[in-house]
Each structure stands twice: as structure tokens, then as C-alpha cells.
Amino acid sequence: MRHPQPRCFVCSLFLLFAALLHPLPGLAADVPDELVVADQKGQQRALMEAAGVEQDLPFRVRWVEFEAASPLLQALGAGAVDTGIAGDGPFFFAWGAGMPVKAAYLIPPRGGGHATAIVVAPGSTITSPAQLSGKRIATGRGSIGHLLLLRLIATGGIPAPAPQIVFLQPAQAKAALDTGRVDAWSTWEPYIALETIGHKGHIVVDAAGLTPNNSFFVATTAALAQKRRLLATFYQRVALAYAWGQAHQAQYAHILAQQTGLPEDVAVSVARQLIASPVPISDAVEQAELITLDTYRNAGLIQPSAPLSEAFDKDILKP
């Protein structure tokens, strides 16, 4: 399985995004008392608003929504947002390509690794990862879905011949799966629930035991230098919101459905998978993420020049 050189691809996107955004007013670093937060499918914003933890913040939070982590990280790399949530796969794909970002706050594995999975459409006869050999599988380039596929190939879960990976954003991938243009989709929540609960497809295999399954609040190096107090306060409120969510999953699911348009039963499943207990990043987390970095590096997708320790800011919440 051949891959294009990612450094050129990712950095080209980064430079294009930066060029498009740079002349415009209102970039994240321009407003010192405003934190610009990137979200995926409105999930973090819904949780924090449901918990009521934003109400008395001493600064403004401006939310920007993205469909997936890849465009979110491009926005971070271009300085259009200050912080946002991303899985470990897309984060290391971006960091390894030289984007000026660091992981600053940890969202531990959600749902024991079940929040990333390969799904198939209703009626598919594919029931095991071995049956994915040689098949067309949609996922996002550098996403946690891509990471899952690479781990299955590397560990022999998907034997030769390797599947043909079709790189698509979530909306395109769902359409391709539903119309039979691909055989499977390696994706994440809420898209797993949308396909399995909403469309009656089924899961072939998930990421449990294959990847660290961490997510991070990622921040730009500029925000970490210029808005450190704001970031620390915001991450503390994130922890309060997740604690509220653990105690009020039904309420959170209802608000998530209202704010994102997800069907209620899908939102209930997503809420169950989403809720975790955010914590600062530890040395153990750094060591665990070696497998993520090495998976992309061994596939020839990134060649980071900096040591792994420089991917993290572990001191953001220290007194």
C-alpha cells in the first residue's frame, strides 16, 4: 500500500489555510480576552452549556464548529482558533508534519476504545476484520479511523492484500458507504452511532486494545504563550462539565440532540461513549502514545524532527 508524502500534503493544506485566513481580522491571537475554541459536531459546546460552566467566565469563549479533527487542526495550525479537541491520531499526524500545536489536556479513552470503529452498511456480509482484506474502506486522512486501519494492517488483523483506503470527510464517507461506493467506513462517534443506530448498519471491529484511544484538547503554541491563564481556566471548566455529564447523561443527551440535530437515540449512545474524566497529561500518557507516533512513522506518513516530549504541554494546570 503506497502513500503520498504527507509532509507536503499536510503542510500544503496548512499553508493554504493560513494564507486564506491571515489577511482577515479577528484571528485568535488578536483578542487577548477571548478564547476561540474549535469543536467537532457541537459535542463539547453542548456539554459545557448543559453544565452551565461558561456562565461566569472572566473572558469570552467563541466556538467554531468543524466536521472532523483534520480541518479543526488546520485551523489551529493557521492560528484561526486557540484550542480544540482532537483524537491522538489526527493530533500526531498534524504535529508530526510540523504544525505549531501541542496537546495540553487529556480526555482519557472514551467507551474503552469502542468510540472508534469500522462500520458497514445494512445487509453487508462483512463480519470480521479479516474480510476487509482488499476492500475499499473510507476514512479521513490522518484521522483516528485511519490510525485504526493502519494498526489492523500492521498487526495482521486485516491480512494481505491491504484494503484500498479512500480518504473522505465524514459526510462524503457516509454517502459513499450508503450508496455502495465503498465497502466499509473507519470512523468515530457520533458517526458510528449514526450508521449503526440510525441506519441499522453494524460494527466489524473497534479500536479496543489496538490504540491508546486518547483525545486531547490541543492548543496552539501562540495561545499557550499568550493566553495561558485563559486556557487553564477553560480546561478547569471542561473538567467540571464532564463531571456534570457523568451525573446527568440523559440531560446531556437531550441537549446534544437539540443543539446538533442528532436523533435522540443516537445522542444517547454518543453521550454514553463521550463522558470521561479529563486530567492533565502524564509521563505515562506520553509513553503510551509512542504507538500512535510509531504507527504513522512506520507507514511513512510522518517524520517528526522533534522528540515526542515536545508534543505536550504538561504544565498548563500546575500552580
Side-chain angles (χ1 to χ4, degrees):
M1 179 175 58
R2 297 182 62 190
H3 297 273
Q5 288 298 316
R7 184 175 294 274
C8 295
F9 176 84
V10 175
C11 288
S12 295
L13 285 176
F14 163 73
L15 291 171
L16 174 62
F17 204 86
L20 288 171
L21 287 175
H22 185 71
L24 300 177
L27 286 183
D30 292 341
V31 185
D33 291 325
E34 176 184 76
L35 200 65
V36 186
V37 182
D39 198 6
Q40 291 188 50
K41 294 294 289 182
Q43 295 177 75
Q44 306 303 312
R45 182 178 185 176
L47 177 60
M48 294 191 72
E49 289 185 356
V53 298
E54 281 189 73
Q55 294 177 0
D56 61 343
L57 281 171
F59 52 86
R60 179 188 174 200
V61 174
R62 177 158 59 91
W63 292 91
V64 183
E65 184 174 334
F66 294 88
E67 185 183 17
S70 176
L72 182 156
L73 285 157
Q74 290 165 31
L76 276 166
V81 296
D82 295 309
T83 188
I85 193 168
D88 50 5
F91 166 67
F92 281 107
F93 192 78
W95 176 81
M99 284 193 183
V101 294
K102 288 179 181 284
Y105 199 44
L106 171 69
I107 311 295
R110 299 176 295 174
H114 304 305
T116 308
I118 298 177
V119 298
V120 292
S124 173
T125 59
I126 298 173
T127 58
S128 71
Q131 292 174 289
L132 295 168
S133 175
K135 296 294 194 293
R136 287 171 57 84
I137 305 177
T139 198
R141 185 186 295 271
S143 67
I144 50 178
H146 191 187
L147 177 65
L148 172 57
L149 277 173
L150 293 175
R151 287 290 296 149
L152 285 165
I153 294 166
T155 59
I158 301 177
Q164 181 183 350
I165 302 177
V166 182
F167 293 118
L168 298 170
Q169 289 298 318
Q172 299 170 309
K174 179 166 174 51
L177 182 65
D178 292 346
T179 57
R181 288 180 286 128
V182 295
D183 302 294
W185 179 17
S186 190
T187 188
W188 52 91
E189 293 292 6
Y191 304 110
I192 296 170
L194 278 169
E195 188 60 33
T196 57
I197 297 174
H199 200 62
K200 307 305 180 186
H202 65 265
I203 293 172
V204 177
V205 62
D206 62 36
L210 285 167
T211 67
N213 295 298
N214 290 315
S215 292
F216 299 104
F217 267 94
V218 180
T220 67
T221 53
L224 286 165
Q226 299 164 14
K227 299 184 178 182
R228 198 169 185 85
R229 178 185 57 81
L230 276 63
L231 287 168
T233 301
F234 178 76
Y235 296 151
Q236 289 168 343
R237 298 300 177 92
V238 166
L240 292 175
Y242 272 81
W244 179 91
Q246 286 181 324
H248 302 86
Q249 283 194 24
Q251 271 182 267
Y252 166 55
H254 181 65
I255 293 170
L256 180 64
Q258 287 184 319
Q259 292 194 3
T260 65
L262 290 172
E264 195 83 24
D265 54 352
V266 170
V268 168
S269 177
V270 172
R272 187 167 54 246
Q273 297 286 355
L274 173 71
I275 299 302
S277 298
V279 290
I281 298 167
S282 66
D283 292 343
V285 170
E286 178 183 327
Q287 289 304 306
E289 289 297 348
L290 274 170
I291 194 169
T292 304
L293 193 64
D294 286 345
T295 297
Y296 281 135
R297 184 160 40 200
N298 293 340
L301 291 169
I302 58 172
Q303 293 298 328
S305 57
L308 178 61
S309 59
E310 292 189 18
F312 303 99
D313 187 318
K314 301 176 188 175
D315 299 328
I316 187 74
L317 290 178
K318 286 187 177 178

